[in-house]
Amino acid sequence: MALRSLDNALPITPERPRKQTKVAVSIQKQSDIGVNDENIAPLPPTTADATIDYISSENLKALPDPEIKIQSLVEGLESKDWLKVCDSLNNARRFALYHSTLLLPILEKVLLVLVKATKNPRSALCKTSIMASSDIFKAFGDELLESTTSDAFDHLLLQLLLKASQDKRFVCEEADRALNAMVQSMTPLPLLHKLQAYVSHGNLRIRAKAAISISQCVSKMGLEGMKEFGLVSLIQIAADLLNDRLPEAREAARSIVISIQQAFTENGEQMQESWQIFCQSNLPAIHAQAMAKMAKIVPSS
């Protein structure tokens, strides 16, 4: 009875709905889309990402009125609208392929934009910048090293090695093509000096990608070019890579060794004896023994 009277004395008030807790959500402004931030997670693909045109070099056309359009190229490349940057990168590719003399004075600025765009978490922008790198390598070759600062080229090279080492396949394959275009378009010797630093990189995939590019450079060189770089340095690089964890690095090392051996043979050296003496003089015994075994299984040309 006491409980009943208490219920009658206290009217039941309907429970008010709870107020929703306000949560601060970071909204990306349109003006910030093109800004590079390596510390944020990759952005999810959008409709624009899915429909972006990746134009092959063969399908790029010369620009009408290039002397006028070159004046607005830098502004477009530095835009905060990533779609505009993609469009400007494709125009930079056209300038490289058809109007390279107009692009040459601003080549340094273009390289800096390429580095920034390659770092961007948007895959579409990243891939477009890598494609632009390939066309610039093809158009300028050694002139790229002569017309830009060493730092600008070094930063671009590192980004290409990084992108070639990642798991996102369509970006990785494009970076591989850019590295190959670089090797095919440039003189091996100065490029070898640039790549040498990366065969001891802490990232094993970067080591492997650098090793592949080095092996491609060495395959283009004769014995004199190898000597100019340093035969001892080359054989030491190969010996270290032969023990690397990744098979791609080990295979590149074998390719380097084969190229050096063939260069010895083509210059009239007594293959087995001279190679064994050279390795024993410049390598630890265990590495020299491995090199001697390779000389026995590699046919002379």
Side-chain angles (χ1 to χ4, degrees):
M1 292 295 291
L3 289 173
R4 185 176 180 180
S5 61
L6 182 59
D7 289 341
N8 294 332
L10 297 174
I12 299 174
T13 305
E15 185 178 356
R16 293 182 180 179
R18 294 182 180 179
K19 292 183 178 180
Q20 291 185 351
T21 305
K22 293 182 178 180
V23 180
V25 179
S26 175
I27 299 176
Q28 188 178 29
K29 296 179 181 178
Q30 177 69 23
S31 61
D32 293 337
I33 288 178
V35 177
N36 172 56
D37 186 350
E38 293 178 281
N39 298 316
I40 64 175
L43 299 172
T46 64
T47 303
D49 283 328
T51 58
I52 196 80
D53 288 331
Y54 300 115
I55 309 171
S56 66
S57 302
E58 295 77 15
N59 292 328
L60 287 168
K61 306 298 182 184
L63 287 161
D65 303 319
E67 292 82 1
I68 296 174
K69 291 189 176 179
I70 193 67
Q71 298 174 18
S72 59
L73 180 63
V74 173
E75 180 183 351
L77 290 171
E78 294 177 347
S79 172
K80 302 219 180 227
D81 182 342
W82 73 273
L83 287 171
K84 188 173 182 179
V85 176
C86 279
D87 186 56
S88 298
L89 283 170
N90 281 326
N91 282 337
R93 296 172 64 197
R94 292 182 175 95
F95 275 109
L97 295 173
Y98 298 105
H99 321 284
S100 59
T101 54
L102 293 175
L103 192 64
L104 186 59
I106 60 169
L107 198 53
E108 176 94 10
K109 291 181 179 179
V110 174
L111 253 62
L112 295 176
V113 172
L114 289 178
V115 171
K116 182 178 178 181
T118 304
K119 292 179 182 179
N120 196 283
R122 281 195 182 276
S123 297
L125 180 54
C126 177
K127 179 170 178 174
T128 304
S129 67
I130 295 172
M131 295 175 76
S133 300
S134 293
D135 289 329
I136 286 174
F137 287 138
K138 294 172 187 175
F140 292 98
D142 292 339
E143 198 170 13
L144 196 61
L145 290 175
E146 299 166 4
S147 304
T148 61
T149 63
S150 179
D151 284 348
F153 183 87
D154 291 345
H155 289 317
L156 179 59
L157 175 57
L158 175 58
Q159 287 307 312
L160 292 176
L161 290 170
L162 282 166
K163 295 305 175 183
S165 304
Q166 70 170 47
D167 295 325
K168 196 172 291 185
R169 184 175 175 181
F170 83 112
V171 172
C172 174
E173 290 176 348
E174 200 61 56
D176 279 333
R177 283 191 282 270
L179 289 169
N180 185 62
M182 175 188 71
V183 171
Q184 298 305 319
S185 304
M186 302 178 74
T187 304
L189 186 58
L191 197 51
L192 269 177
H193 287 295
K194 294 289 185 182
L195 289 163
Q196 185 179 9
Y198 297 105
V199 290
S200 57
H201 197 278
N203 184 319
L204 72 167
R205 291 187 178 185
I206 289 179
R207 287 201 304 271
K209 294 298 181 180
I212 292 169
S213 293
I214 286 176
S215 70
Q216 292 171 338
C217 285
V218 174
S219 69
K220 295 171 60 180
M221 303 172 76
L223 187 61
E224 290 305 312
M226 295 177 188
K227 287 180 177 178
E228 189 174 354
F229 175 79
L231 272 173
V232 174
S233 295
L234 277 179
I235 203 65
Q236 287 174 344
I237 288 172
D240 289 338
L241 290 171
L242 279 173
N243 297 305
D244 203 272
R245 288 168 56 190
L246 286 184
E248 295 96 327
R250 298 195 297 271
E251 183 58 35
R254 284 189 281 272
S255 176
I256 293 170
V257 173
I258 290 170
S259 294
I260 298 173
Q261 290 175 353
Q262 288 176 344
F264 265 67
T265 305
E266 289 168 2
N267 282 266
E269 300 280 355
Q270 292 297 318
M271 177 66 184
Q272 184 66 35
E273 183 180 353
S274 62
W275 179 251
Q276 189 170 356
I277 293 172
F278 173 71
C279 291
Q280 288 174 345
S281 302
N282 296 289
L283 294 173
I286 189 169
H287 289 170
Q289 186 177 8
M291 294 295 179
K293 288 180 180 179
M294 288 190 68
K296 292 177 183 178
I297 63 174
V298 176
S300 58
S301 56

